Amino acid sequence: MVRHVLIFLRAVQRLYLILSKKLYQLDENLRIFLCPDYLSEGRLEYNSQSSIQTQKSTNIHINVQTIKAELVEMRNRRDATLSMPKIILPAIQINMDGADFLNLKQTEFII
Protein backbone atom coordinates (compact mmCIF):
# COMPACT_ATOMS: atom_id res chain seq x y z
CA MET A 1 0.00 0.00 0.00
CA VAL A 2 2.76 2.48 0.87
CA ARG A 3 4.47 1.76 -2.45
CA HIS A 4 1.26 2.55 -4.39
CA VAL A 5 0.87 5.82 -2.50
CA LEU A 6 4.46 6.80 -3.30
CA ILE A 7 4.01 5.95 -6.99
CA PHE A 8 0.78 7.99 -7.08
CA LEU A 9 2.43 10.91 -5.29
CA ARG A 10 5.31 10.93 -7.76
CA ALA A 11 2.85 10.73 -10.68
CA VAL A 12 0.85 13.71 -9.43
CA GLN A 13 4.02 15.70 -8.75
CA ARG A 14 5.27 14.87 -12.26
CA LEU A 15 1.91 15.92 -13.71
CA TYR A 16 2.22 19.24 -11.88
CA LEU A 17 5.74 19.82 -13.21
CA ILE A 18 4.84 18.89 -16.78
CA LEU A 19 1.80 21.17 -16.83
CA SER A 20 3.16 24.13 -14.90
CA LYS A 21 6.74 24.13 -16.17
CA LYS A 22 6.36 22.84 -19.73
CA LEU A 23 2.85 22.88 -21.17
CA TYR A 24 1.75 26.15 -19.57
CA GLN A 25 4.90 27.87 -20.90
CA LEU A 26 3.78 27.36 -24.50
CA ASP A 27 2.03 30.04 -26.58
CA GLU A 28 -1.35 30.74 -24.96
CA ASN A 29 -3.13 30.61 -28.32
CA LEU A 30 -1.86 27.12 -29.07
CA ARG A 31 -4.72 24.67 -29.61
CA ILE A 32 -4.51 21.42 -27.69
CA PHE A 33 -6.55 18.31 -28.36
CA LEU A 34 -7.98 16.50 -25.34
CA CYS A 35 -8.67 12.83 -25.13
CA PRO A 36 -10.89 11.50 -23.72
CA ASP A 37 -13.50 13.99 -22.54
CA TYR A 38 -15.62 12.50 -19.78
CA LEU A 39 -18.33 15.19 -20.11
CA SER A 40 -18.06 16.84 -16.71
CA GLU A 41 -21.08 17.90 -14.70
CA GLY A 42 -22.91 20.89 -16.08
CA ARG A 43 -21.83 20.38 -19.70
CA LEU A 44 -24.07 18.94 -22.39
CA GLU A 45 -21.53 18.63 -25.21
CA TYR A 46 -18.19 16.86 -25.46
CA ASN A 47 -15.16 19.03 -25.98
CA SER A 48 -12.15 17.64 -27.84
CA GLN A 49 -9.99 20.75 -27.95
CA SER A 50 -8.96 23.74 -25.91
CA SER A 51 -6.13 26.26 -25.73
CA ILE A 52 -3.24 26.76 -23.34
CA GLN A 53 -4.83 30.03 -22.21
CA THR A 54 -8.18 28.36 -21.45
CA GLN A 55 -6.55 25.55 -19.49
CA LYS A 56 -4.36 27.96 -17.51
CA SER A 57 -7.38 29.95 -16.43
CA THR A 58 -10.18 27.37 -16.07
CA ASN A 59 -8.71 23.90 -15.47
CA ILE A 60 -10.19 22.69 -12.16
CA HIS A 61 -7.22 20.42 -11.42
CA ILE A 62 -4.31 22.70 -12.17
CA ASN A 63 -4.33 26.29 -13.31
CA VAL A 64 -1.77 29.08 -12.98
CA GLN A 65 -2.66 29.63 -9.31
CA THR A 66 -2.46 25.98 -8.23
CA ILE A 67 0.43 24.95 -6.01
CA LYS A 68 1.75 21.39 -5.97
CA ALA A 69 0.50 20.55 -2.45
CA GLU A 70 -3.03 21.67 -3.39
CA LEU A 71 -3.03 19.46 -6.47
CA VAL A 72 -1.87 16.39 -4.52
CA GLU A 73 -4.48 16.93 -1.80
CA MET A 74 -7.29 17.57 -4.30
CA ARG A 75 -6.40 14.52 -6.39
CA ASN A 76 -6.23 12.30 -3.29
CA ARG A 77 -9.67 13.49 -2.18
CA ARG A 78 -11.21 13.24 -5.65
CA ASP A 79 -9.65 9.94 -6.69
CA ALA A 80 -10.89 8.23 -3.52
CA THR A 81 -14.46 8.72 -4.81
CA LEU A 82 -13.95 7.43 -8.35
CA SER A 83 -14.78 4.02 -9.73
CA MET A 84 -12.91 2.44 -12.61
CA PRO A 85 -13.27 4.53 -15.81
CA LYS A 86 -15.76 3.10 -18.32
CA ILE A 87 -13.22 2.92 -21.14
CA ILE A 88 -10.19 1.73 -19.17
CA LEU A 89 -10.08 -1.79 -20.64
CA PRO A 90 -10.02 -0.71 -24.32
CA ALA A 91 -7.52 2.02 -23.41
CA ILE A 92 -5.20 -0.52 -21.78
CA GLN A 93 -5.54 -2.83 -24.77
CA ILE A 94 -4.61 -0.06 -27.18
CA ASN A 95 -1.69 1.08 -25.03
CA MET A 96 -0.37 -2.48 -24.68
CA ASP A 97 -0.61 -2.93 -28.44
CA GLY A 98 1.45 0.21 -29.05
CA ALA A 99 -1.65 2.09 -30.22
CA ASP A 100 -1.81 -0.14 -33.30
CA PHE A 101 -5.59 -0.26 -32.99
CA LEU A 102 -6.15 -0.03 -36.73
CA ASN A 103 -5.21 -3.70 -37.01
CA LEU A 104 -7.70 -4.77 -34.32
CA LYS A 105 -11.24 -5.84 -35.04
CA GLN A 106 -14.00 -4.00 -33.18
CA THR A 107 -15.03 -7.26 -31.49
CA GLU A 108 -11.60 -7.64 -29.90
CA PHE A 109 -12.26 -4.79 -27.45
CA ILE A 110 -13.59 -5.72 -24.01
CA ILE A 111 -16.28 -3.24 -23.02
Side-chain angles (χ1 to χ4, degrees):
M1 179 66 155
V2 172
R3 183 167 185 237
H4 295 300
V5 171
L6 290 175
I7 291 170
F8 171 75
L9 181 59
R10 287 187 201 122
V12 173
Q13 290 174 345
R14 184 156 171 75
L15 173 68
Y16 177 84
L17 291 173
I18 289 169
L19 289 175
S20 66
K21 304 296 182 205
K22 294 187 180 199
L23 195 64
Y24 283 0
Q25 302 307 313
L26 298 173
D27 180 350
E28 291 193 340
N29 295 314
L30 183 69
R31 287 189 315 161
I32 53 177
F33 294 85
L34 314 168
C35 181
D37 183 0
Y38 286 101
L39 196 62
S40 59
E41 245 181 83
R43 284 194 298 126
L44 301 175
E45 294 182 15
Y46 289 96
N47 186 10
S48 63
Q49 63 179 302
S50 185
S51 70
I52 297 294
Q53 179 181 22
T54 300
Q55 292 301 307
K56 285 170 74 172
S57 61
T58 65
N59 190 303
I60 63 168
H61 296 271
I62 180 170
N63 55 61
V64 292
Q65 298 175 349
T66 306
I67 60 173
K68 191 183 332 182
E70 288 174 346
L71 177 65
V72 170
E73 191 275 326
M74 183 275 298
R75 287 296 302 258
N76 280 333
R77 191 172 6 99
R78 178 184 168 271
D79 291 353
T81 67
L82 298 176
S83 59
M84 185 169 74
K86 294 175 186 173
I87 62 171
I88 193 71
L89 295 176
I92 291 171
Q93 290 174 319
I94 288 172
N95 285 325
M96 289 178 66
D97 194 45
D100 189 20
F101 60 90
L102 296 177
N103 293 325
L104 295 176
K105 296 179 184 132
Q106 183 69 27
T107 57
E108 291 180 65
F109 288 104
I110 302 170
I111 299 179

